[in-house]
Amino acid sequence: MIHVEDLHKSFGSNEVLRGINEEIFKGEVVTVIGPSGSGKSTFLRCLNRLEEPTGGRIIFEGNDICAPGADINLLRQKMGMVFQQFNLFNHLTILQNITIGPTMVRKESQEEAEARAMKLLERVGLADKAQEYPSRLSGGQKQRIAIVRALAMNPDVMLFDEPTSALDPEMVGEVLGVMKSLAEEGITMVVVTHEMGFAQKVGTRVLFMDGGQILEQGPPQQLFTAPRHPRTQDFLSKVL
Ligand code: ADP
Ligand code: MG
C-alpha cells in the first residue's frame, strides 16, 4: 500500500530523516516507536505530504505522491490522520466537524454525511454529543471525535501521531480501545506511539526509529523481547 524509498527530509541544515526504506501492506498495524526527536512525526507527516520530502520516493497505492500534479487532496482523503492535539474546528459542532469533509470534499449530500457521522458516533459511544461544541468535551472524547472525523472520509489507511500523549491517564484507555477495534476490523494503520502495551498487543509490526532512520523492525514479540540493536535495547530498557 505504501512504498517508501530512501526518504530524506532536512529542515535547513538539520537532516531529520536519513534514508528510510519501508513497505506498508494492506491490513497491517504498524507502530513506530523511538526517542523524542528521532523523526517519527516527520516520517508520518511525509507520508501524506504535510511535510515535503527533500529526497527519495513515496508510492501510495501505485502513485508517486511527490510527482508533479499529484492529487494531494485525494491523497489526504485516503490517508486519515489523527494528531496529538485533536485539531478539531472549535467553532463547529461535533456533527459539523465530522460532515464538513464528506460534504465539501467528497460531495456527499448533507443527509448522507450526517447519517454516516451518526453511525460512527454511535460506534465510539458519543452519539449524544453530536450537537455539542468541542470545548464541552473531555480530551478523550475529542480524540474519539477526531478519529471519527478521519474515518468519515473513508480512508484506506489511518495515520496516528501520538494520539494519547496529550490525554489525562484515565482517558488513554477509551482512545486506545477505539483504535484496537479499528485494528480488529482490518483497517491499515500506522501509529506513532509511546504506548508500549498497544504496540505489543495490537501492532502487527514495530518500527524502531532513532536519528532519522529505522534502526530495527519486526513483529512485536521479537522486537520487545529480543531486540537486536543496542539502541533498541537501550530505549526499551528505559520505557518498559
Ligand atoms: P519525533 O516525532 O520523533 O519526536 P520529529 O519528527 O518531531 O521527532 O522531529 C525530528 C527533528 O526535526 C527534531 O530535531 C525537530 O526539532 C525537527 N523538526 C521537526 N519539525 C520541524 C519543523 N517544522 N521545522 C524545523 N525543524 C523541525
Ligand atoms: Mg513526534
Side-chain angles (χ1 to χ4, degrees):
M1 182 178 269
I2 310 174
H3 170 86
V4 180
E5 205 177 292
D6 199 27
L7 175 64
H8 286 259
K9 173 68 182 175
S10 299
F11 293 104
S13 60
N14 185 10
E15 193 181 18
V16 171
L17 299 180
R18 302 164 180 251
I20 292 191
N21 294 287
E22 192 45 53
E23 203 78 54
I24 291 164
F25 295 91
K26 197 168 186 306
E28 280 197 298
V29 179
V30 176
T31 56
V32 185
I33 63 171
S36 183
S38 57
K40 304 182 297 296
S41 294
T42 305
F43 172 50
L44 207 62
R45 293 165 64 84
C46 281
L47 295 182
N48 68 354
R49 273 190 67 184
L50 284 177
E51 297 292 353
E52 208 70 40
T54 39
R57 289 206 310 164
I58 300 173
I59 313 291
F60 173 57
E61 295 183 331
N63 300 310
D64 184 340
I65 69 159
C66 295
D71 189 341
I72 301 301
N73 288 329
L74 186 65
L75 172 71
R76 303 227 174 110
Q77 240 181 90
K78 294 193 164 207
M79 289 190 169
M81 184 140 181
V82 175
F83 304 88
Q84 188 175 336
Q85 294 297 343
F86 328 125
N87 296 5
L88 296 177
F89 303 114
N90 288 317
H91 62 294
L92 299 181
T93 64
I94 298 308
L95 192 61
Q96 289 167 336
N97 261 278
I98 301 166
T99 56
I100 187 168
T103 54
M104 304 274 280
V105 183
R106 281 167 58 88
K107 309 294 175 201
E108 284 179 24
S109 70
Q110 192 64 33
E111 296 71 38
E112 196 183 348
E114 285 186 8
R116 210 172 122 63
M118 289 310 299
K119 270 207 186 116
L120 288 166
L121 281 172
E122 269 162 38
R123 186 183 158 162
V124 300
L126 292 173
D128 59 327
K129 304 294 185 200
Q131 303 303 335
E132 297 277 15
Y133 284 86
S135 59
R136 307 258 302 169
L137 270 55
S138 71
Q141 291 172 332
K142 281 185 207 171
Q143 197 57 302
R144 284 185 279 158
I145 298 298
I147 294 173
V148 162
R149 183 178 58 174
L151 289 174
M153 297 295 276
N154 244 334
D156 291 342
V157 55
M158 287 282 284
L159 310 177
F160 293 86
D161 192 0
E162 296 196 26
T164 59
S165 295
L167 300 178
D168 291 334
E170 74 270 24
M171 293 172 186
V172 169
E174 67 198 54
V175 171
L176 292 180
V178 169
M179 292 168 65
K180 182 164 182 270
S181 83
L182 298 181
E184 285 165 356
E185 220 176 72
I187 296 181
T188 310
M189 295 165 58
V190 184
V191 185
V192 174
T193 189
H194 290 298
E195 294 293 333
M196 296 301 147
F198 181 88
Q200 286 189 51
K201 290 185 212 111
V202 182
T204 55
R205 197 153 60 88
V206 193
L207 312 181
F208 173 70
M209 278 188 74
D210 196 14
Q213 291 179 312
I214 296 172
L215 285 191
E216 181 167 358
Q217 60 128 324
Q221 322 82 280
Q222 183 262 306
L223 194 127
F224 282 102
T225 57
R228 295 194 186 100
H229 201 288
R231 299 275 274 280
T232 320
Q233 293 165 4
D234 179 56
F235 176 76
L236 290 177
S237 75
K238 288 174 184 148
V239 298
L240 285 182

